[in-house]
Amino acid sequence: MKRIYTLALLLVLLFSFVICEDTFESEAFDTEEVPEGPSFSPEQVINGDKFEFQSNTHRLLEILVRSLYSNREIFLREVVSNAADALERARFLSVENREMLEVEPEFEIRIKADPEAKTIVIEDTGVGMSREGLKDNLGTIAHSGTQAFMDNFAENGDLSAIGQFGVGFYSVFLVADLVDVHSKNMDDEQYVWQSTAEDEFTIARDESDDITRGSRIVLHLKDDAHEFLDADRLFDLANHYSEFIQFPIKVWTSREVEVEVEAEEVEVEEETEEAEEKKPETVTETEWYWKRVNPQPAIWTRDPKTVEEEEYLRFYRSFGGSDEGSYLGKTHFKVEGEYEFSSLLYVPDEHASNLIDEFEKSKIRLYVKKVLISDTEALLPKWLNFLRGVVDSDDLPLNVNREMIQGRVIKSITRKLTSKSLNMFSKMAKKEEEKFDRFLEKFGKFLKIGMIEDAKSRTKISKLLRFHSSNSEEKTSLADYIERMAPNQDSIYYVTSESVEMAERLPYVEGLVTRGFEVLYLLDPLDEAALQNLRTFDDVEIISAASESASFTSSGDSEFVKFVEELLPVSKVEFSENLVSSPSALSHADTSPSANMERLIKQQRQLDPNFQETFDTRRILLLNPNHPIVKGFEKRYNGADIEIEEEKESLTDIAHLLYDSAMLASGYDIEDHQSLAQRINTVLSLSLNVEDETVDVDSIKENIKAEQEAALNEMESEDADEDDLDLDEFDIDEIEEEEEVNPHADDL
């Protein structure tokens, strides 16, 4: 039944393809003008047997050129990869056929651009192709290939197998409109294959017979692809995509060299013994040579036991782009299972220059058979993006363009890389404490983000974090905290603050420390969010010392407590045994954010106007029943008549001052600064035994206005005095004589 269903689905797909093809043809010939194809000179076109492409190749080539590849520069990657495969086959066959080595002992790839001819030549000394090989391999799209894929689909019904049948060679038509493939196989003569990506191709006997073994691909570039005629550009592309191909890749390039020239002989009448030898004259000349692209070996493919530390360091520096950089740790491993791959990951020993870029951009390169497929693929969760390294596999199922991996494969690789990375961090924490401290200093924020975002890795990450503590001068882990817990302690307590000194003075820390309970000091804004997402560690609950659950409260049902509750914007007022030297503190409900979280949410709202996070702001005022201020306040309340307005106002001011001081001491932001200032002024007036009278603002305004009018009248009087001049002091005749002498005096 499954077989019938698969065949039926195959027929539907084929029928759909025919309909799409007819639609494409009708649309193509409905245009007003059909563009002419490329024209070539007679010497560029070969004469030989002509064949039609199979499997609707012309249509498929158009699809490839127009939409399959996201970047046309990958043509070089595809051709070099095919050449490497041919070299690997030749090396394998040469083990039994020694004649192959006698004919051509070298296994290499050469790339040369000819700006005058507008061509690029890629040559290899691989196994080469016979006449039939050229016809079969290049005459059918992805021979081994289209038909094999359809056969596999009919048998297994698995579309994911498309990645096993590459069509990379045809990417050359992204940059070329005429392609020649000269090839020599040990079992045949030398032949040349030629095509313009139209409906046919030509195969002819290659009379040049200049290939000992292998293939030479000549790309006649399109007018808009002449950028690839630059030798440096070709070298950079080959280095980027094929840096770790095991066979030598060489590019024909130039360099400036100093060449000695013979100096002209000059007759000298007398030669002195002290005459100095003249330095030889030199001129700068351009020298062309074959420059190797890939001298750096792919050390990740080797057994870690055979790789020296110097090799790891040299590879890291070449990979990271720094000649002096170093790393804090590394992990080199091979994974076997459904998908096999090798990997080498480094922890850099340098701060992230830009935290956002470091978080968003992946620095892991993905290789398939040592050929770079992607350096942007998200193989790690974002919180591990500070790592650098490589992942290489021989059997990853890629899409047909070899640029995208299927999603389920990515998830499998990500899980394994994450696990290996966490193991590397744990090993560093146990055996290299100094390096681990530097690691946390540089990348601790990333781990905390991982605690927030990665639920599956949260427990493992929590074992790596370190915090300041009330019981330890050095930072402590959660595991060490639990070992030091008091016998009657059942929770892990923490507070948030900007410094250890400020945390030690927080009011609700006093009672916990007095009881012998250790308190963690969270100084990083991310710390609290990380622990809130963790919730428990080794089945021990993690709670804020400022939360309702951490408060040891006594009875709070008195009339005094109810009176204070009615006056203040709090959910309730309680007498708390957590307070020792402080008269009051502000706590929050278990479901409400702490002062630190409230501050972060407000900052987020300022940065992002669309941020609509709402939260429960239930606050609890804790009063210290043993503090003189609280005792005096309660005593004053008990002896006061709150029906009298003046007494009620006085009690209200005291309650608000206790609330405001609790907010400040507990790290909350004061919202009504003016009211606080006014209450402080009232207290100052009472302390100084002066009357707190209301200032007559209108009277002040009238005085200021009178002063301004007096100043204005004085200015007008001074101006009048300056205008009242004595004209008798001036000699009019003298002035007229000066004007006759200097008629332009007025102008001057």
Side-chain angles (χ1 to χ4, degrees):
M1 189 67 183
K2 181 179 178 182
R3 176 78 172 178
I4 296 174
Y5 172 77
T6 303
L7 291 174
L9 181 58
L10 177 60
L11 290 174
V12 171
L13 288 173
L14 291 175
F15 180 69
S16 300
F17 178 78
V18 173
I19 293 176
C20 293
E21 181 184 285
D22 293 340
T23 303
F24 184 85
E25 290 178 350
S26 63
E27 291 177 353
F29 289 99
D30 283 343
T31 56
E32 296 180 0
E33 182 179 353
V34 178
E36 296 182 0
S39 58
F40 305 99
S41 60
E43 60 270 15
Q44 289 179 305
V45 180
I46 65 174
N47 296 316
D49 298 329
K50 296 186 180 299
F51 303 90
E52 289 187 358
F53 280 110
Q54 302 176 37
S55 302
N56 298 291
T57 300
H58 178 53
R59 290 284 177 255
L60 188 51
L61 283 175
E62 287 185 344
I63 294 173
L64 287 173
V65 172
R66 292 180 182 179
S67 61
L68 188 58
Y69 289 98
S70 60
N71 189 350
R72 65 179 184 171
E73 69 183 24
I74 54 83
F75 81 92
L76 192 62
R77 179 193 73 184
E78 298 299 314
V79 175
V80 170
S81 299
N82 290 341
D85 291 341
L87 288 168
E88 183 62 38
R89 292 181 59 192
R91 186 171 64 176
F92 177 78
L93 294 174
S94 66
V95 175
E96 295 183 355
N97 186 359
R98 306 304 296 178
E99 183 183 352
M100 295 180 67
L101 296 179
E102 295 175 0
V103 171
E104 176 57 68
E106 299 294 333
F107 295 92
E108 64 181 12
I109 301 168
R110 294 191 174 191
I111 305 169
K112 182 178 182 180
D114 188 342
E116 294 184 2
K118 304 295 188 290
T119 61
I120 296 176
V121 179
I122 302 102
E123 190 170 7
D124 68 74
T125 56
V127 70
M129 288 178 282
S130 63
R131 182 179 183 278
E132 289 301 314
L134 289 169
K135 178 183 175 183
D136 293 339
N137 293 329
L138 304 184
T140 303
I141 293 296
H143 177 73
S144 76
T146 303
Q147 187 60 46
F149 166 68
M150 300 304 289
D151 292 343
N152 182 79
F153 175 76
E155 180 178 350
N156 301 319
D158 184 9
L159 281 170
S160 66
I162 189 171
Q164 300 174 14
F165 310 102
V167 291
F169 167 77
Y170 301 96
S171 64
V172 295
F173 291 107
L174 291 165
V175 297
D177 45 23
L178 177 68
V179 177
D180 301 330
V181 180
H182 305 259
S183 194
K184 174 67 172 70
N185 183 270
M186 293 294 294
D187 298 329
D188 204 347
E189 297 178 320
Q190 183 172 323
Y191 283 88
V192 57
W193 177 97
Q194 186 179 78
S195 175
T196 60
E198 296 299 324
D199 290 328
E200 61 182 19
F201 60 90
T202 303
I203 297 178
R205 174 77 174 84
D206 193 351
E207 301 298 336
S208 62
D209 283 331
D210 57 345
I211 300 177
T212 55
R213 184 191 73 238
S215 300
R216 181 192 305 125
I217 301 175
V218 182
L219 308 181
H220 301 264
L221 298 183
K222 299 177 181 179
D223 291 339
D224 63 349
H226 290 173
E227 62 178 292
F228 299 107
L229 292 172
D230 183 1
D232 292 336
R233 174 91 161 112
L234 289 177
F235 184 91
D236 291 340
L237 288 177
N239 181 70
H240 180 67
Y241 289 109
S242 308
E243 181 182 5
F244 299 105
I245 292 289
Q246 58 183 324
F247 300 103
I249 303 173
K250 300 177 181 178
V251 175
W252 185 247
T253 187
S254 63
R255 62 186 172 191
E256 301 297 323
V257 295
E258 297 290 332
V259 180
E260 292 185 9
V261 295
E262 294 183 2
E264 296 182 359
E265 295 184 0
V266 180
E267 294 183 1
V268 181
E269 295 180 357
E270 294 183 2
E271 293 185 1
T272 61
E273 296 180 356
E274 298 179 355
E276 297 181 357
E277 294 184 4
K278 293 184 178 181
K279 295 182 179 179
E281 295 184 8
T282 61
V283 295
T284 302
E285 294 183 355
T286 300
E287 177 186 70
W288 288 87
Y289 71 108
W290 290 105
K291 182 179 180 181
R292 182 163 178 177
V293 171
N294 55 340
Q296 179 72 28
I299 62 174
W300 66 81
T301 60
R302 293 161 49 187
D303 187 336
K305 297 178 181 178
T306 66
V307 183
E308 300 292 336
E309 189 63 29
E310 291 183 0
E311 294 180 276
Y312 280 123
L313 183 59
R314 187 164 54 249
F315 176 75
Y316 172 79
R317 288 175 175 174
S318 68
F319 181 85
S322 172
D323 294 334
E324 299 180 356
S326 184
Y327 55 87
L328 287 173
K330 68 178 184 305
T331 177
H332 182 185
F333 57 91
K334 182 175 182 180
V335 173
E336 297 181 350
E338 182 180 3
Y339 304 109
E340 296 185 1
F341 64 88
S342 299
S343 180
L344 175 56
L345 303 178
Y346 291 97
V347 179
D349 188 10
E350 54 198 40
H351 282 286
S353 57
N354 188 314
L355 186 62
I356 296 178
D357 289 345
E358 200 84 6
F359 183 71
E360 293 293 337
K361 295 180 180 179
S362 172
K363 297 166 191 63
I364 304 299
R365 296 180 184 177
L366 174 64
Y367 291 84
V368 173
K369 296 181 179 179
K370 305 183 189 69
V371 177
L372 180 65
I373 299 301
S374 173
D375 55 4
T376 61
E377 194 72 52
L379 297 177
L380 286 171
K382 287 185 176 181
W383 62 271
L384 283 176
N385 271 351
F386 62 89
L387 294 177
R388 300 174 182 175
V390 297
V391 174
D392 190 4
S393 175
D394 291 343
D395 61 354
L396 287 183
L398 302 174
N399 286 345
V400 68
N401 60 357
R402 289 209 279 191
E403 291 184 335
M404 293 176 288
I405 312 176
Q406 297 162 22
R408 59 189 178 90
V409 182
I410 290 289
K411 291 181 180 179
S412 177
I413 294 176
T414 299
R415 284 196 302 270
K416 291 180 172 61
L417 292 180
T418 302
S419 177
K420 291 291 185 179
S421 300
L422 289 171
N423 290 341
M424 171 175 57
F425 304 153
S426 299
K427 182 179 179 181
M428 190 189 305
K430 294 176 181 177
K431 298 183 178 180
E432 300 175 287
E433 292 185 6
E434 184 178 344
K435 282 188 176 181
F436 185 71
D437 290 340
R438 292 213 310 273
F439 164 71
L440 287 180
E441 179 186 353
K442 299 173 189 298
F443 305 108
K445 289 184 182 294
F446 288 86
L447 297 185
K448 295 165 189 176
I449 293 174
M451 286 268 290
I452 298 170
E453 294 189 346
D454 193 343
K456 294 181 179 179
S457 303
R458 191 169 291 153
T459 301
K460 290 185 177 180
I461 299 174
S462 66
K463 297 177 181 179
L464 301 171
L465 298 183
R466 302 291 185 267
F467 305 97
H468 290 281
S469 165
S470 60
N471 283 17
S472 175
E473 294 182 359
E474 298 180 354
K475 290 184 177 181
T476 183
S477 65
L478 294 177
D480 291 341
Y481 178 102
I482 289 179
E483 289 184 1
R484 295 192 299 265
M485 283 176 57
N488 58 336
Q489 182 180 349
D490 56 5
S491 299
I492 298 174
Y493 297 102
Y494 70 84
V495 294
T496 60
S497 182
E498 296 181 2
S499 67
V500 173
E501 292 75 16
M502 293 179 66
E504 291 174 340
R505 295 198 298 266
L506 287 171
Y508 29 69
V509 172
E510 299 172 313
L512 295 174
V513 173
T514 301
R515 285 178 167 80
F517 295 172
E518 185 174 357
V519 181
L520 297 177
Y521 300 151
L522 310 187
L523 309 184
D524 190 301
L526 291 172
D527 287 342
E528 184 175 15
L531 292 186
Q532 284 181 346
N533 279 274
L534 182 61
R535 296 184 181 180
T536 63
F537 184 84
D538 283 353
D539 297 327
V540 179
E541 187 179 12
I542 303 173
I543 61 175
S544 169
S547 67
E548 184 178 8
S549 298
S551 178
F552 299 92
T553 58
S554 57
S555 175
D557 296 331
S558 66
E559 293 296 326
F560 168 69
V561 168
K562 292 179 181 179
F563 171 75
V564 177
E565 282 182 0
E566 293 175 357
L567 296 176
L568 302 176
V570 295
S571 60
K572 59 182 175 180
V573 177
E574 294 179 339
F575 287 119
S576 174
E577 298 176 8
N578 285 45
L579 306 180
V580 178
S581 62
S582 301
S584 63
L586 204 60
S587 180
H588 60 83
D590 292 338
T591 56
S592 299
S594 65
N596 175 60
M597 292 302 295
E598 280 193 22
R599 212 162 23 247
L600 293 176
I601 293 172
K602 289 177 182 178
Q603 292 174 0
Q604 182 65 26
R605 283 177 176 169
Q606 293 176 352
L607 295 173
D608 183 7
N610 298 322
F611 185 74
Q612 300 294 333
E613 180 70 23
T614 59
F615 52 88
D616 179 13
T617 56
R618 287 184 296 160
R619 297 171 181 172
I620 303 169
L621 179 63
L622 304 179
L623 298 177
N624 183 355
N626 301 315
H627 198 280
I629 291 178
V630 177
K631 287 182 177 181
F633 182 26
E634 185 175 13
K635 183 178 180 180
R636 176 120 177 232
Y637 167 78
N638 292 331
D641 184 357
I642 60 174
E643 298 298 330
I644 300 175
E645 189 66 25
E646 292 182 358
E647 293 193 18
K648 184 176 181 180
E649 287 182 1
S650 177
L651 292 172
T652 301
D653 285 341
I654 295 173
H656 277 283
L657 276 174
L658 276 174
Y659 175 73
D660 291 339
S661 65
M663 287 190 69
L664 292 172
S666 304
Y668 286 90
D669 294 330
I670 297 293
E671 298 175 357
D672 190 354
H673 297 85
Q674 296 299 326
S675 297
L676 173 61
Q678 185 176 350
R679 284 189 284 272
I680 292 175
N681 290 334
T682 301
V683 173
L684 289 174
S685 299
L686 293 173
S687 300
L688 298 173
N689 196 22
V690 295
E691 295 183 2
D692 184 17
E693 297 180 352
T694 304
V695 178
D696 189 350
V697 178
D698 293 334
S699 177
I700 293 176
K701 288 182 178 179
E702 290 179 0
N703 292 335
I704 294 174
K705 185 176 181 181
E707 291 176 359
Q708 291 176 343
E709 290 177 352
L712 183 60
N713 293 333
E714 185 178 352
M715 292 173 62
E716 290 176 351
S717 177
E718 291 176 355
D719 292 341
D721 292 341
E722 292 177 359
D723 293 337
D724 189 11
L725 300 176
D726 187 0
L727 297 179
D728 294 336
E729 295 179 3
F730 295 92
D731 189 344
I732 302 301
D733 295 334
E734 185 179 349
I735 294 175
E736 291 177 351
E737 290 177 0
E738 290 180 358
E739 288 181 351
E740 291 177 359
V741 174
N742 187 5
H744 300 290
D746 291 342
D747 296 338
L748 294 174

